[in-house]
Amino acid sequence: MHWLLLYSLVALAALYARWLCAVLWAKAMRHPPLETGLLPLVGATLQFARHMPLRFVQMCRERLGDTFTIEVGGRMMTFLFDPETFPLFFHRGHQDGSVSFSEATLPFLDRGFGVVPDDYFARHHFVLQGIREKLCPRELERQFCEAVAAKQAEFFEHEWRFRAAETDVECDLMRDVVRCGVFWSSVSVFFGDRAANLDGLMDDLVAFDSQFETALAPFPLLSWIMPDFVRAKESLRSSLARIVQTNKATLRGADHAKLLSTCVLDKVDACPDAADVSRAAAAKSRPGWLLSTLWASEANAIPSTFWSICYLLSHPSALQRARDEV
C-alpha cells in the first residue's frame, strides 16, 4: 500500500514537472501566449466546461490577441485568427519545423466523419478531382440544377400549406420550410428519393451540424462529452450506407449512375493509389465519404438560402427583379 502511494506521488510529481517545463519552454521560445487554466495538468478544461468551448475561445482571444494556445486535458491547441500568421505555421512541406496543413486536418476527418487518415491520404485527390468534374458549371447545369429546381418547386407547391399550420412564428416557419425544402430537393437528386424521404435523416443531420465545430476540437472522451453528436454521426453513417446499397439494387443503370453518391463511391473504389490501405480502414471510411458529401451539400446551402430569402423579402425591388427573371 505504501509503495503504491509512493509510486502515485512520484508519477504526479513527474507529470507536474513535465507541465512546468512545457510552460517555461513556451515562454522562453517566444511561443504564442499560453492559457494554462487554473490547475496544473488539468489546464483550461474546467473553463471549457463552464463557458462552453466557443465562448471560452472568444474570451481568450479578447484577452490574449489573435494568436494563442490553450491547454485542455493535456493537449495544446493553438488558435490563429489573423490570416497573416498562417504562413508561419502551415506550409506545403515541413520547412523550418512547420506543420503540413493536410496532416493538421487529419484528426478532424476521423472525429467528424469517420474517415481514416490513411484512407483519406490515398484517395482524397482522386475523389475530389472526380467530384469537381461532376460539379463543373456545364455538368452542374445539365445534371443537377434543373432537377433540384424541379424538386424545390414540387416541395413548395405541395408542402407549404401543410407546414404553414405547424407554427405561428413567421421566422421559425420560414426557417423550417427552407431547411426542409433545400434538404429534400438536393438530397433527392444527390442521394435518391429514398434518402430524402427517410425518417430521421434530416433530424440527424441537424443535430450533427449543430455541434460539428465543437466536436472537432480534440477533446478526450468525445462519446461521453457529446453523446448526441456521436449518436447522430453513427446514425447518418449507417443510414447512408444502407441507402446506397438499396439504390444499387433497385435503380436502373442510368438512374443510379447520375446520383452524386454513386460518383463519390465509384471514385473511392477506383482510386489507383489506395492499394496499401487496409480493408478495415477502407470499410470504416466508406460511409464517412458519403457523410462528408451530404454535410458539404447542406451545411452552407441551407443558411445561405435562408438569408437570401430574408434579403429578398426585406428589399421589395430586389424581389421584383428576381420574379421578373423567373
Side-chain angles (χ1 to χ4, degrees), residues 34-283:
L34 177 62
E35 172 59 62
T36 58
L38 301 176
L39 298 174
L41 307 179
V42 177
T45 305
L46 298 179
Q47 289 94 315
F48 255 69
R50 177 185 176 186
H51 299 290
M52 298 301 293
L54 296 182
R55 173 56 185 154
F56 181 66
V57 170
Q58 183 60 35
M59 292 168 59
C60 290
R61 183 185 181 187
E62 295 172 356
R63 182 165 49 87
L64 301 175
D66 287 337
T67 303
F68 54 89
T69 298
I70 301 176
E71 182 189 11
V72 179
R75 301 179 66 103
M76 298 292 186
M77 295 186 292
T78 298
F79 294 83
L80 309 176
F81 289 95
D82 183 1
E84 294 184 359
T85 64
F86 292 175
L88 301 177
F89 292 86
F90 297 107
H91 292 283
R92 293 184 180 274
H94 296 279
Q95 302 93 334
D96 302 325
S98 59
V99 181
S100 167
F101 185 82
S102 297
E103 293 187 7
T105 60
L106 290 180
F108 303 147
L109 296 169
D110 197 2
R111 293 174 69 88
F113 305 111
V115 177
V116 178
D118 290 344
D119 193 77
Y120 172 82
F121 258 134
R123 304 182 198 270
H124 175 253
H125 179 74
F126 186 80
V127 174
L128 184 61
Q129 183 179 10
I131 295 176
R132 284 174 175 170
E133 293 173 357
K134 191 79 170 179
L135 298 181
C136 68
R138 178 174 58 85
E139 292 295 319
L140 186 64
E141 183 176 359
R142 182 176 68 86
Q143 295 193 42
F144 296 121
C145 287
E146 292 185 3
V148 171
K151 290 288 185 180
Q152 286 184 344
E154 178 183 350
F155 174 85
F156 286 108
E157 180 180 357
H158 295 287
E159 298 290 333
W160 175 267
R161 66 177 183 273
F162 299 107
R163 297 188 177 275
E166 293 179 1
T167 177
D168 295 328
V169 181
E170 184 176 354
C171 183
D172 289 343
L173 168 64
M174 184 167 64
R175 181 180 58 191
D176 180 63
V177 170
V178 169
R179 176 188 293 159
C180 293
V182 173
F183 177 87
W184 186 80
S185 58
S186 58
V187 172
S188 296
V189 174
F190 293 158
F191 289 85
D193 290 335
R194 288 180 179 82
N197 295 315
L198 182 65
D199 290 339
L201 189 68
M202 189 181 73
D203 293 336
D204 285 337
L205 182 62
V206 171
F208 176 84
D209 182 62
S210 65
Q211 302 184 63
F212 183 78
E213 293 182 359
T214 305
L216 293 188
F219 304 128
L221 303 175
L222 182 64
S223 60
W224 180 68
I225 297 175
M226 306 184 68
D228 293 339
F229 173 84
V230 175
R231 183 208 59 79
K233 181 180 82 169
E234 294 305 322
S235 178
L236 287 168
R237 282 167 52 87
S238 60
S239 297
L240 293 173
R242 291 195 305 270
I243 288 167
V244 296
Q245 289 297 328
T246 304
N247 288 341
K248 186 176 181 179
T250 58
L251 294 180
R252 293 178 299 176
D255 292 334
H256 183 250
K258 69 181 182 182
L259 297 176
L260 182 62
S261 57
T262 303
C263 170
V264 171
L265 291 186
D266 285 347
K267 289 296 180 180
V268 168
D269 295 337
C271 180
D273 301 322
D276 295 333
V277 178
S278 68
R279 291 185 178 181

